[in-house]
Amino acid sequence: VGGHSVGGHSSPRRATRSASFAAANGDYFVVGRWLGTTALGLYSRAFQLMSLPMYQFSSVINYVLFPAYAKIQNDTDRLRRAYLGSVSLSFLVILPILTSLAIAAPDLIVGCFGAQWTGATLPLQILCLGGVFQCTYNLGDSLARAKGAVYWKFWCHTVYALCVLLASFIGTRWGITGVAVGVVAAMAVVYLLM
């Protein structure tokens, strides 16, 4: 039975990792391929700045939440309350940080990186809107892992990857700002799925 379980879940896990990789890097691929290396540098700087506070918080909270979710995985009401509580906490912590980052973006970009990086300012501000969705998506991912919902995770990651690729490609008509809008739209879609 143990061998069947490993074999039965290893393919969906591998496929989920591939879909997750495509979702995490699809926008970079599109920007680099259709807008060039300068645009990719500006866009990646904006995305990394948005991601920094969000990932610092979500990595800590996911480390705590996964075992907590796993302990109550069969108690649907408690699990729902725990998940909604963690989403509320994330909003309370991440929203002010990302709002402050969006407001400070013009001065932060020029002050830290120089005037040549000002093209990353508006994409950073737009991506800060989507950061809240991204953080919640990470929490949903922990919940899916705790429930052992490997096929659901694969489906969500695949939809997210397709949304990122398609929305990024459509957004290239308006440069990296359009790509940022597309990525936020993809984040909103996967937020609703999770």
Side-chain angles (χ1 to χ4, degrees), residues 87-178:
V87 168
S88 297
L89 176 64
S90 295
F91 277 146
L92 287 173
V93 173
I94 294 296
L95 186 60
I97 292 171
L98 290 176
T99 301
S100 300
L101 182 59
I103 292 167
D107 296 326
L108 180 69
I109 294 286
V110 172
C112 291
F113 306 109
Q116 69 273 23
W117 289 93
T118 55
T121 302
L122 185 55
L124 171 59
Q125 291 171 321
I126 292 167
L127 289 167
C128 283
L129 296 173
V132 175
F133 296 126
Q134 182 71 23
C135 186
T136 306
Y137 169 70
N138 292 338
L139 296 174
D141 194 57
S142 287
L143 179 62
R145 281 188 309 130
K147 290 287 286 178
V150 292
Y151 293 105
W152 175 253
K153 276 182 56 174
F154 168 70
W155 186 79
C156 286
H157 283 288
T158 301
V159 169
Y160 185 33
L162 292 173
C163 287
V164 166
L165 287 166
L166 181 62
S168 296
F169 180 72
I170 292 169
T172 59
R173 295 181 64 194
W174 298 276
I176 59 173
T177 301

Side-chain angles (χ1 to χ4, degrees), residues 69 78-91 139:
Y69 287 161
R78 280 184 69 198
L79 193 57
R80 182 181 296 118
R81 284 193 308 271
Y83 176 70
L84 292 176
S86 63
V87 168
S88 297
L89 176 64
S90 295
F91 277 146
L139 296 174

Side-chain angles (χ1 to χ4, degrees), residues 1-76:
V1 175
H4 175 68
S5 177
V6 171
H9 290 293
S10 65
S11 290
R13 285 186 184 140
R14 244 179 282 144
T16 299
R17 279 196 296 273
S18 297
S20 180
F21 180 82
N25 295 290
D27 50 345
Y28 290 167
F29 170 75
V30 169
V31 170
R33 173 71 175 84
W34 279 278
L35 298 177
T37 55
T38 300
L40 179 60
L42 292 170
Y43 178 80
S44 65
R45 176 70 62 194
F47 198 94
Q48 290 165 357
L49 284 172
M50 178 276 298
S51 298
L52 188 62
M54 183 188 59
Y55 283 124
Q56 292 297 320
F57 174 75
S58 63
S59 65
V60 170
I61 199 165
N62 284 336
Y63 181 77
V64 172
L65 286 179
F66 173 68
Y69 287 161
K71 282 183 184 178
I72 58 172
Q73 65 180 301
N74 295 320
D75 187 344
T76 305

